[in-house]
């Protein structure tokens, strides 16, 4: 199976690079532990690997990936909340300085959300999960009813980033750090078609090189 061999060969290239040619990176990460500055919340989409898109090295970014890069609201109910648990570790223990909600174009999760409820198949998890961004769908359908479906999806991808940014602030240990100026939250959007990366500034998404970065 060539596809499996490709993965093994990739691993061997990485091993050569990081464990033979530049061993100091992992030596340091092993001895001192990880201390990433960034928590990146990204989609599971195979075209959107934050470490590749931003060319980071091991130890740079702590990444949570879920369908459509969503942040749920704070719910302390004793149930299993994978995204919230990873956020808790990144913020309370690792004390990351930045959180980036990392959206992207052609998101399958957002497309599913825009289609509406699916009663005709047996997927049991996607609709309830995408419900987190339901108000983004409602906003797009209400404000842009005449646009074609692809354009509506693109709008919803961006609007859902704002929902996640809002939801981050429902966690008191995030809100207090943001208000104290110790933690900074960002909404970014990767356009797969053009390869361009945008950052949210106010109500707009600007090319990242145009963002005002003062911290
Ligand atoms: Zn996606």
């Amino acid at each position: 199976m060539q596809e499996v061999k490709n993965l093994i060969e990739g691993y061997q290239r990485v091993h050569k690079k990081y464990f033979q040619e530049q061993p100091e990176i992992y030596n340091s990460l092993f001895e001192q532990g990880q201390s990433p500055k960034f928590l990146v919340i990204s989609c599971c989409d195979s075209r959107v690997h934050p470490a590749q898109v931003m060319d980071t090295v091991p130890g740079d970014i702590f990444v949570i990936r879920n369908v459509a890069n969503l942040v749920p609201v704070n719910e302390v109910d004793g149930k299993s909340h994978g995204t919230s648990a990873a956020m808790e570790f990144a913020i309370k223990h690792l004390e990351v300085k930045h959180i980036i909600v990392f959206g992207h174009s052609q998101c399958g999760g957002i497309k599913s959300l825009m289609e509406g409820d699916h009663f005709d198949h047996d997927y049991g998890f996607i609709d309830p999960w995408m419900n987190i961004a339901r108000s983004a769908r409602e906003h797009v359908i209400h404000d842009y009813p005449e646009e074609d479906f692809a354009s509506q999806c693109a709008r919803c991808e961006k609007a859902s980033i704002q929902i996640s940014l809002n939801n981050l602030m429902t966690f008191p240990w995030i809100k207090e750090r943001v208000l104290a100026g110790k933690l900074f939250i960002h909404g970014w959007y990767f356009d797969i078609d053009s390869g361009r990366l945008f950052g949210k500034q106010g109500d707009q998404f600007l090319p990242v090189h145009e963002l005002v970065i003062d911290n």
Side-chain angles (χ1 to χ4, degrees), residues 42-45 47-48 66-69 103-110:
S42 170
C43 186
C44 303
D45 193 297
R47 301 164 295 180
V48 187
N66 62 39
V67 172
N69 45 271
H104 72 101
S105 61
Q106 286 191 355
C107 182
I110 294 294

Side-chain angles (χ1 to χ4, degrees), residues 99-113:
I99 304 175
I100 299 175
V101 176
F102 200 83
H104 72 101
S105 61
Q106 286 191 355
C107 182
I110 294 294
K111 179 171 178 284
S112 176
L113 173 69

Side-chain angles (χ1 to χ4, degrees), residues 72-81 84-85 87-88 92 170-173:
V73 294
N74 180 28
E75 287 181 296
V76 183
D77 55 12
K79 295 182 180 172
S80 304
H81 295 284
S84 304
M87 286 178 4
E88 186 170 56
K92 290 185 178 177
T170 67
F171 293 81
W173 30 272

Side-chain angles (χ1 to χ4, degrees), residues 47-129:
R47 301 164 295 180
V48 187
H49 294 298
Q52 279 181 340
V53 173
M54 296 180 285
D55 196 22
T56 61
V57 297
D60 278 354
I61 59 175
F62 186 90
V63 181
I64 300 170
R65 302 188 71 164
N66 62 39
V67 172
N69 45 271
L70 295 178
V71 175
V73 294
N74 180 28
E75 287 181 296
V76 183
D77 55 12
K79 295 182 180 172
S80 304
H81 295 284
T83 294
S84 304
M87 286 178 4
E88 186 170 56
F89 182 75
I91 291 148
K92 290 185 178 177
H93 183 75
L94 298 176
E95 298 181 325
V96 297
K97 186 178 175 185
H98 300 270
I99 304 175
I100 299 175
V101 176
F102 200 83
H104 72 101
S105 61
Q106 286 191 355
C107 182
I110 294 294
K111 179 171 178 284
S112 176
L113 173 69
M114 288 302 297
E115 288 169 354
D117 291 327
H118 299 80
F119 300 112
D120 56 342
H121 60 54
D122 62 356
Y123 290 12
F125 292 101
I126 294 178
D127 282 356
W129 172 252

